[in-house]
Amino acid sequence: MAVHRDPDTAEKLNRIPGVMAVCGSPESLPLNSSSFDAVLVHQGFHELAPGLALPEIARVLRPGSVLGVSWLVRDDTVPWVKRLAALLRTVYENAISGDYGTESVHELISSKYFPEDEHTTKRLWVPVNRDSLVAMAAARPAVRALDSDARSNVLTKVAALADDSAGTSGLRLPYQLECWRAWVDHDELTTPIRPHDDGLTITL
């Protein structure tokens, strides 16, 4: 089951074998309560309104089930990637800034609806060649905005960096898959509201 705000995207998802998609908002899920064993949000949790989305996700989960949140982020600890970032920052100082929205996970791990959580990180390696690296750099808005000579100069340097760094095994672009899993607690959803008697004022 997939939920997406955009009706066109939901329609496209419905064409995938084995997928049922509905158009809806994560802050108001058009799904029955206690219907799912897991809810997964990849690369988009920071775009949600957590105060609305988290109780809705908790509502549709069965007791003891989990919410999984993940982001695929680039790993800049590898020397040749550091060199690439330094080169692109000569064009735009915030190039490859690494702002993926992962800081928003604090809203999950501090939520009363998901009091228990765990975190794990997996490294992924994506093969890239000289042409794909140059194309990736050329697609950056700041590089596209350069005049033709300056753009050609930057892309020539990117190609040279690829040739210098590839070695016999080629290039692999490193990523980190950051994953959180949190278990739902329905107590906050099912506990009746009982206001204190001294908090009620009746005006006649």
Side-chain angles (χ1 to χ4, degrees):
M1 171 70 72
V3 178
H4 203 283
R5 300 180 193 271
D6 178 50
D8 292 335
T9 301
E11 182 183 358
K12 292 176 182 177
L13 290 171
N14 259 323
R15 300 172 192 164
I16 301 173
V19 174
M20 177 184 294
V22 296
C23 182
S25 165
E27 292 83 6
S28 182
L29 291 169
L31 306 169
N32 291 332
S33 299
S34 297
S35 300
F36 296 90
D37 296 319
V39 171
L40 306 176
V41 182
H42 177 63
Q43 216 77 3
F45 184 75
H46 56 287
E47 298 173 352
L48 307 183
L52 299 175
L54 287 174
E56 270 294 274
I57 293 171
R59 178 184 65 80
V60 303
L61 285 170
R62 295 187 178 98
S65 298
V66 297
L67 165 60
V69 174
S70 61
W71 284 270
L72 188 63
V73 304
R74 197 185 49 261
D75 182 350
D76 292 341
T77 62
V78 177
W80 78 264
V81 179
K82 288 183 179 180
R83 292 171 56 200
L84 176 63
L87 172 57
L88 293 178
R89 284 171 187 155
T90 63
V91 178
Y92 174 53
E93 65 179 1
N94 292 323
I96 315 185
S97 62
D99 182 12
Y100 300 98
T102 53
E103 69 284 348
S104 64
V105 78
H106 174 74
E107 299 290 344
L108 170 60
I109 62 180
S110 62
S111 170
K112 60 187 178 182
Y113 302 108
F114 297 91
E116 296 183 42
D117 66 89
E118 64 181 16
H119 170 242
T120 188
T121 301
K122 303 291 183 183
R123 174 176 268 183
L124 304 176
W125 296 92
V126 178
V128 292
N129 57 32
R130 184 179 190 266
D131 291 342
S132 61
L133 195 66
V134 170
M136 182 180 71
R140 298 280 173 175
V143 175
R144 290 203 309 267
L146 297 172
D147 62 61
S148 58
D149 289 342
R151 185 167 57 252
S152 177
N153 181 51
V154 169
L155 297 180
T156 297
K157 290 180 179 179
V158 171
L161 185 152
D163 292 338
D164 181 57
S165 305
T168 57
S169 59
L171 287 173
R172 293 189 302 163
L173 194 60
Y175 289 88
Q176 297 280 1
L177 183 61
E178 299 280 356
C179 306
W180 284 264
R181 178 168 60 177
W183 283 263
V184 69
D185 182 348
H186 280 173
D187 286 349
E188 292 292 336
L189 297 177
T190 57
T191 300
I193 299 174
R194 296 190 180 94
H196 296 293
D197 290 342
D198 59 3
L200 298 177
T201 301
I202 301 174
T203 302
L204 299 177

